[in-house]
Amino acid sequence: MINKQSGVYHTTSVDAAKSNRTTLFLAGHKRTYGDFREKQRQVDAPCLDDITNTTEFNHPTVHQDNVLAPLEAGKVQDVVDRDLSIYSQRRGLALTPTITSNPLLALSHPAYGLPKQLVDNFASVGIKSIYPWQSECLLKSGALGGENNLVYTAPTGGGKSLVADVLMLKKVIDTPGEKAMLVLPYVALVQEKMRWLRKVVEGITKTPASPFLGERRPSAWRKRGDEDSVRVAGFFGGSKTKATWDDMDIAVCTIEKANSLVNAAIGDLTIGRLGVVVIDELHMIDDEIRGYILELMSTKLLSLEQKVQIIGMSATLNNAELLAKWLDNAKFYISRYRPVPVEEHLVFDNAVYPASSSTIFYKTATQLNTQSENASQLKPEPTRLITQALSKELNSPLINAVVALSNETARAGYGVLVFCSSRVGCEKDAMLISQVLPSAGEVDFSTAEKRRDLLSDLRSTTTGLDPILEKTIPFGVAFHHAGLTTEERDAVATAYDQGVIKVIVATCSLAAGINLPARRVILHGARMGAELVGPSLLRQMRGRAGRKGKDEIGETYLCCQKSDLEAVAELMEADIPSVESCLLPGKRGIKRALLEVIATKLAMSNDSIDDYIRKTLLFHSIDRNELAEMVLSTVQELKETRLIEEFNGSEYSATSLGQAIVASSLTPEDGLFVHRELRKAMQAFVMDGEMHVLYSFTPVQAAHGNINWQIFRKEVDRLDESNLRVLEFVGLKPHVLNKMAQGGSMKESTAQEVEIARIYRRFYAALQLRDLCNEMPVHAVARKYDIPRGIVQNLAQTCHGFAAGMIKFCKRMNWGALEAVLDHFSDRLRAGAKSDLLALAEITYIKSRTARIFWENGFKSAAADVKDIMPVLLLAQPKKPRLSPQDEAQYLNKLKGKADIISKSANHLWEREMQAQLYEEE
């Protein structure tokens, strides 16, 4: 049934959570189940005793509304003959020369100097030859020998990553002791690349060090045994990696972690071991929110006395020559080669028009948008028509086209990637596409079995199975957006790559953060929220079409409504904007840039600062006199805010506060905000509650989210006396909460008002963090605060890194007492549990609520057999509908596998503890 209020054709996960709330009637007063449980806690009832002591788990009944009603999609019909149909006969396209005609296309060729094991490993992951442009770029740029920096651009899917992989791997294999760093913009890409690189370097031994280099200083520690292999480590928000240069050869990092690694290496004088840095998505350098950190990091590398090779690549660079000039006159290479040809189409009012180039696309869209008074003007002819479906759910021509095109491709056995403007739109499209595809009973047994396996995998996660994915996955459809947890997104992406899922509907903002190419890419409009996407993002979405090795051709369909036609046409015609520095006037990067180089002692005088500025991209983008004035004013501002101090008239050093801000990887603006908050805490820190510590650990980035003021007020009303004192100390006022809960608005027109609003948002996030640390599962916190589960999980992950930064901040400020308090609580933060569960929470899969259930059932270490662990693990699983016997058996098998991992992890920890005790006794 249509939800007329929201315009959504199905019950969203938020609606489902609201409708599933249990209520209890007491003396004519209706209370939610959450209120009832809160009352139980106040009388010291064990948090989960009623769950763990239950002898039988009753599954809720599966209702009929959990099954999708079938719909019939519109038919896509050819108006003109398209020669050979791409769905009836594959096209044989000999686009790339073979090794026979060009021996340099074999990575085993002596010109590349790669070890046989590496070549074999590349072949094992499907790379048996390279493209002509890759060969030319490697051999003619001078980068293969490490002599030159390199900037290059190639279309998405054109093989640009392999060039950097070869250069990076050759460096660490041929030059023992030198390390490589690969910088990627998103956590998902870091995790994917880390797994891929570990496969590629398996079994490879580095070239022995030259005897003339001398022996390393003897160490009291025993060698680990992997020093001669190529070791890959990942650094990203939420990761627990504490590896040093001695523990790794390749560091795969997010932008922020890469900059922190460089700062730390400069500070401890180990930067000389860094040999090569690879920057993917180099165009992000002009992103003011995150990407500008790339310019800070790269400029520091260019300012070093020793040479660090820098390799930058992107699919959307319009001024590679300027970036190459900035990166120490690097070689630059531009490729427009795509191994799989892509056909582009414009879809409007159930008609498909060819758009083989942006010019043709612009002309087609402009003609279609011509008003009726110009009817005499010749209109373009469509090549295909889509019949209008009869179902009321598909009465919009735009939705009808998206569903029909998805249906056509999926039924032909190919992969489809649909981009939507919002999370709600993703879920809605996924539901509608599912309703027109064959049901589980109509597909082959093997595919249906794999989809049931996927559902079982998702059910066995700590958050349980999303109710909408439960409906769509049996039809081979899923959605992929930031509202899903990491485990859900990984499972969906893997299933799609294996062909188990045929259609993924994703938000536009994830276009750059996912590596999911498809036979057909469908754009449900060209908006991200209410705004049109930019030219670069549009190209990235369209660039996902066509998969080398799986498809012989790719297709993109941009489905528009009339009001957007002209704007989209202009967008298609627009050039990719040139990348520019984010240190320009009006942008905040310059202040952080100068603070970091002064704090790391790369520049400590006017002359050395001038030398540093000359190595920035900014130097190539601005008038010299204007630049000099901007540097002087920024230095003066840093002095006024007491982040740096001047001595001897022209020399500078960072203050303790400046050092603390750089050590904790904060911007100067965020660092000053944190300093003010921690100074208030130093004056009156509430020790008899947990909210003050949790507020200190809440990332300042969380202060940009939205607040449900009714929920906020309700949670504040439940705070005890000690935590209410925290409310007063941080500056929150109950009457403001009441006003906002009744529909008021919070002004943010002045700097003071912005800071006050920031404190309210941060405290709201701290309440969520409190529940996570008190063993409330992610899905329960999401339901309680009416936010997506993925957002809650992201808060839980990012707070780990921020907490470590706060501890460093206190250490640099010599606030030993506050540092000790925060450090003690950080273990609880990682475990998501109370103090009594910290040892148990070190075991794989035993976290938060699961740890509590094991504890209350007598497991203090989980060092037990699988048969003993299994019943308790069953108790810890989220509630699920009653399954068929076959699905129940699969579900139990998944849990048995998890129980086996838990048992092995617990036994390993126990053995490690025993060894530590033996060492102490000796």
Side-chain angles (χ1 to χ4, degrees):
M1 188 171 180
I2 300 174
N3 182 337
K4 293 183 174 62
Q5 240 181 353
S6 64
V8 180
Y9 291 100
H10 65 276
T11 303
T12 66
S13 56
V14 172
D15 293 332
K18 290 177 178 176
S19 64
N20 287 337
R21 296 182 72 176
T22 304
T23 58
L24 300 141
F25 292 87
L26 296 174
H29 176 64
K30 187 169 83 169
R31 294 188 294 159
T32 66
Y33 182 67
D35 292 335
F36 176 67
R37 297 291 288 132
E38 185 68 20
K39 186 68 176 176
Q40 279 190 319
R41 292 191 188 95
Q42 291 172 5
V43 294
D44 297 324
C47 180
L48 293 165
D49 61 348
D50 58 330
I51 297 176
T52 56
N53 294 333
T54 301
T55 56
E56 183 177 352
F57 179 73
N58 295 318
H59 297 281
T61 306
V62 179
H63 297 289
Q64 189 61 35
D65 62 3
N66 203 38
V67 180
L68 294 175
L71 300 175
E72 186 172 346
K75 305 296 181 186
V76 186
Q77 301 171 339
D78 291 342
V79 176
V80 297
D81 290 336
R82 298 195 299 159
D83 300 323
L84 299 176
S85 169
I86 58 175
Y87 296 115
S88 62
Q89 182 173 346
R90 288 176 173 264
R91 294 180 177 180
L93 298 169
L95 297 172
T96 306
T98 62
I99 295 174
T100 306
S101 60
N102 185 354
L104 285 172
L105 300 185
L107 283 172
S108 57
H109 195 283
Y112 304 110
L114 302 180
K116 182 179 184 303
Q117 183 65 56
L118 179 58
V119 175
D120 292 343
N121 288 356
F122 274 131
S124 70
V125 295
I127 302 171
K128 299 179 180 176
S129 63
I130 60 176
Y131 304 135
W133 83 264
Q134 292 172 324
S135 174
E136 187 175 68
C137 185
L138 285 169
L139 296 177
K140 294 186 178 180
S141 64
L144 193 61
E147 299 92 355
N148 297 321
N149 293 340
L150 174 65
V151 174
Y152 64 99
T153 177
T156 301
K160 65 180 183 299
S161 296
L162 182 61
V163 172
D165 292 337
V166 169
L167 294 172
M168 180 174 63
L169 290 168
K170 183 173 174 60
K171 171 75 81 172
V172 298
I173 292 170
D174 290 353
T175 319
E178 288 202 9
K179 311 298 180 179
M181 188 163 69
L182 171 59
V183 187
L184 296 160
Y186 304 107
V187 171
L189 296 180
V190 169
Q191 292 171 324
E192 180 187 14
K193 191 68 177 185
M194 182 175 63
R195 291 191 294 264
W196 188 85
L197 280 172
R198 284 175 176 170
K199 290 180 184 176
V200 169
V201 301
E202 191 174 354
I204 294 177
T205 302
K206 291 178 286 190
T207 304
S210 170
F212 297 104
L213 295 177
E215 292 291 329
R216 285 193 176 183
R217 189 173 60 186
S219 172
W221 297 98
R222 184 178 61 186
K223 287 189 175 182
R224 298 188 334 181
D226 62 351
E227 288 79 9
D228 294 330
S229 60
V230 179
R231 299 158 297 176
V232 181
F235 296 83
F236 50 89
S239 68
K240 299 178 181 178
T241 305
K242 295 182 179 178
T244 65
W245 291 132
D246 288 330
D247 305 315
M248 63 184 174
D249 298 289
I250 301 174
V252 189
C253 318
T254 54
I255 296 170
E256 294 80 4
K257 290 292 184 181
N259 188 54
S260 296
L261 274 178
V262 169
N263 284 342
I266 293 173
D268 61 21
L269 305 179
T270 59
I271 193 66
R273 301 182 67 179
L274 184 61
V276 58
V277 174
V278 175
I279 303 173
D280 200 356
E281 308 296 350
L282 185 59
H283 64 275
M284 282 193 68
I285 206 163
D286 69 351
D287 173 48
E288 191 176 357
I289 297 174
R290 297 178 65 231
Y292 77 96
I293 300 172
L294 290 173
E295 182 174 356
L296 271 62
M297 181 191 72
S298 302
T299 305
K300 281 178 284 196
L301 296 175
L302 292 170
S303 301
L304 297 172
E305 292 182 1
Q306 75 273 10
K307 168 79 173 178
V308 177
Q309 187 180 26
I310 300 175
I311 299 161
M313 56 178 162
S314 173
T316 54
L317 270 184
N318 199 27
N319 53 340
E321 187 173 0
L322 173 64
L323 293 175
K325 182 180 179 182
W326 163 53
L327 292 175
D328 198 18
N329 291 314
K331 298 293 183 180
F332 71 94
Y333 190 96
I334 299 173
S335 169
R336 295 181 175 83
Y337 173 77
R338 282 194 64 104
V340 177
V342 177
E343 294 179 350
E344 300 194 357
H345 309 271
L346 170 65
V347 183
F348 168 67
D349 201 18
N350 283 327
V352 179
Y353 301 90
S356 57
S357 69
S358 59
T359 303
I360 294 175
F361 189 103
Y362 182 80
K363 182 179 178 182
T364 301
T366 305
Q367 290 175 336
L368 286 171
N369 204 35
T370 304
Q371 300 299 321
S372 56
E373 56 264 24
N374 296 328
S376 58
Q377 184 174 340
L378 187 64
K379 296 290 182 76
E381 291 294 329
T383 56
R384 310 185 82 194
L385 293 175
I386 304 169
T387 60
Q388 180 61 52
L390 301 178
S391 307
K392 63 179 180 179
E393 292 89 346
L394 303 175
N395 57 6
S396 163
L398 182 60
I399 294 175
N400 183 66
V402 170
V403 172
L405 290 166
S406 301
N407 176 60
E408 180 189 38
T409 312
R411 284 180 179 269
Y414 298 107
V416 187
L417 190 55
V418 181
F419 284 111
C420 283
S421 62
S422 67
R423 295 173 196 157
V424 171
C426 283
E427 296 177 12
K428 173 183 172 181
D429 280 4
M431 292 276 281
L432 290 174
I433 294 168
S434 299
Q435 290 176 266
V436 303
L437 288 175
S439 65
E442 299 175 82
V443 299
D444 64 272
F445 177 80
S446 174
T447 300
E449 183 80 4
K450 290 174 182 176
R451 289 174 184 172
R452 280 195 292 269
D453 283 343
L454 175 59
L455 287 172
S456 182
D457 287 341
L458 291 171
R459 279 193 193 97
S460 65
T461 61
T462 54
T463 56
L465 176 59
D466 180 271
I468 299 176
L469 287 177
E470 183 177 19
K471 297 176 183 179
T472 63
I473 284 175
F475 297 90
V477 182
F479 57 87
H480 190 287
H481 58 54
L484 292 179
T485 63
T486 303
E487 296 81 8
E488 288 172 323
R489 293 199 297 267
D490 287 347
V492 165
T494 301
Y496 175 79
D497 194 53
Q498 294 171 347
V500 177
I501 294 295
K502 291 298 181 185
V503 183
I504 283 189
V505 191
T507 47
C508 300
S509 57
L510 282 179
I514 56 175
N515 185 23
L516 300 174
R519 173 61 170 261
R520 179 175 285 182
V521 170
I522 301 169
L523 279 68
H524 186 158
R527 293 185 177 273
M528 188 163 60
E531 301 297 324
L532 282 171
V533 301
S536 296
L537 184 57
L538 182 63
R539 280 165 174 77
Q540 285 179 327
M541 289 190 287
R542 293 158 60 209
R544 299 295 169 195
R547 294 192 286 184
K548 178 64 176 175
K550 294 189 178 182
D551 297 317
E552 286 72 35
I553 197 168
E555 301 172 297
T556 66
Y557 287 81
L558 204 167
C559 303
C560 288
Q561 51 192 9
K562 186 175 179 63
S563 58
D564 281 345
L565 263 178
E566 198 162 338
V568 168
E570 291 175 359
L571 180 63
M572 292 286 294
E573 184 75 356
D575 290 329
I576 300 172
S578 296
V579 173
E580 63 178 17
S581 172
C582 263
L583 309 185
L584 287 165
K587 299 186 178 182
R588 63 180 183 175
I590 185 66
K591 191 185 294 185
R592 181 171 181 176
L594 292 181
L595 177 60
E596 286 194 357
V597 294
I598 293 172
T600 55
K601 300 182 180 179
L602 269 180
M604 299 182 66
S605 64
N606 286 331
D607 289 342
S608 56
I609 288 174
D610 182 63
D611 185 58
Y612 168 81
I613 289 295
R614 287 175 177 274
K615 291 182 169 62
T616 62
L617 178 60
L618 175 67
F619 183 77
H620 300 274
S621 315
I622 192 173
D623 176 75
R624 302 292 184 269
N625 292 330
E626 185 181 359
L627 177 58
E629 290 177 10
M630 186 175 71
V631 170
L632 284 175
S633 64
T634 304
V635 169
Q636 183 61 32
E637 191 174 347
L638 290 172
K639 288 193 293 183
E640 290 173 357
T641 51
R642 299 182 180 179
L643 300 182
I644 64 172
E645 53 191 4
E646 185 177 2
F647 58 95
N648 296 335
S650 63
E651 296 184 354
Y652 307 96
S653 65
T655 63
S656 296
L657 177 55
Q659 291 280 3
I661 289 173
V662 172
S664 51
S665 302
L666 295 170
T667 66
E669 296 81 4
D670 287 345
L672 290 169
F673 171 77
V674 165
H675 180 248
R676 289 190 292 271
E677 294 292 286
L678 290 177
R679 282 291 298 271
K680 285 191 288 187
M682 291 282 290
Q683 293 169 7
F685 199 87
V686 180
M687 297 290 292
D688 55 345
E690 58 192 7
M691 280 306 303
H692 217 157
V693 178
L694 289 167
Y695 178 77
S696 302
F697 276 161
T698 302
V700 290
Q701 295 82 1
H704 301 294
N706 295 323
I707 295 176
N708 184 316
W709 291 99
Q710 287 82 11
I711 294 174
F712 197 174
R713 180 175 64 178
K714 183 179 178 181
E715 290 304 306
V716 167
D717 287 343
R718 290 176 172 178
L719 292 177
D720 58 22
E721 189 272 334
S722 64
N723 286 324
L724 282 173
R725 292 204 314 273
V726 179
L727 201 73
E728 180 184 349
F729 289 147
V730 299
L732 270 62
K733 303 186 184 308
H735 75 270
V736 174
L737 286 174
N738 287 328
K739 171 192 164 188
M740 297 303 298
Q742 293 168 8
S745 61
M746 182 166 282
K747 293 181 180 179
E748 296 185 53
S749 53
T750 67
Q752 185 179 6
E753 289 172 346
V754 168
E755 180 149 328
I756 290 171
R758 193 179 200 185
I759 293 170
Y760 277 89
R761 292 194 184 97
R762 194 176 180 212
F763 197 90
Y764 186 65
L767 289 170
Q768 300 162 33
L769 208 55
R770 173 205 61 183
D771 289 340
L772 290 168
C773 284
N774 284 290
E775 302 160 25
M776 184 179 285
V778 167
H779 64 90
V781 176
R783 183 168 62 246
K784 179 178 179 180
Y785 292 92
D786 197 15
I787 52 180
R789 295 181 297 179
I791 303 300
V792 177
Q793 187 188 56
N794 184 61
L795 172 65
Q797 292 172 342
T798 55
C799 74
H800 299 157
F802 187 80
M806 289 303 92
I807 294 169
K808 290 178 184 176
F809 191 101
C810 293
K811 185 175 182 179
R812 293 297 181 103
M813 294 297 296
N814 294 318
W815 294 344
L818 188 56
E819 177 194 353
V821 171
L822 297 180
D823 194 25
H824 176 74
F825 204 90
S826 63
D827 292 334
R828 276 193 62 190
L829 204 62
R830 282 190 292 271
K834 295 179 181 177
S835 300
D836 56 344
L837 301 182
L838 294 181
L840 199 59
E842 290 188 38
I843 299 167
T844 306
Y845 291 134
I846 305 294
K847 298 289 182 289
S848 188
R849 174 175 174 269
T850 306
R852 176 61 58 192
I853 292 176
F854 270 85
W855 179 273
E856 293 184 348
N857 280 269
F859 289 84
K860 307 303 180 186
S861 67
D865 293 334
V866 173
K867 62 182 177 58
D868 297 321
I869 293 173
M870 189 66 184
V872 185
L873 188 60
L874 272 169
L875 286 173
Q877 299 310 301
K879 290 184 179 180
K880 64 184 190 325
R882 188 180 297 278
L883 304 175
S884 67
Q886 184 181 13
D887 288 346
E888 186 73 24
Q890 286 181 332
Y891 175 68
L892 291 175
N893 282 334
K894 297 287 182 186
L895 286 186
K896 285 178 183 175
K898 186 180 285 189
D900 185 54
I901 294 172
I902 290 171
S903 178
K904 289 177 180 176
S905 174
N907 289 326
H908 175 71
L909 286 171
W910 181 82
E911 289 172 2
R912 196 172 66 185
E913 289 173 6
M914 292 301 100
Q915 287 177 350
Q917 289 180 15
L918 288 173
Y919 286 135
E920 287 177 5
E921 291 173 3
E922 291 175 358

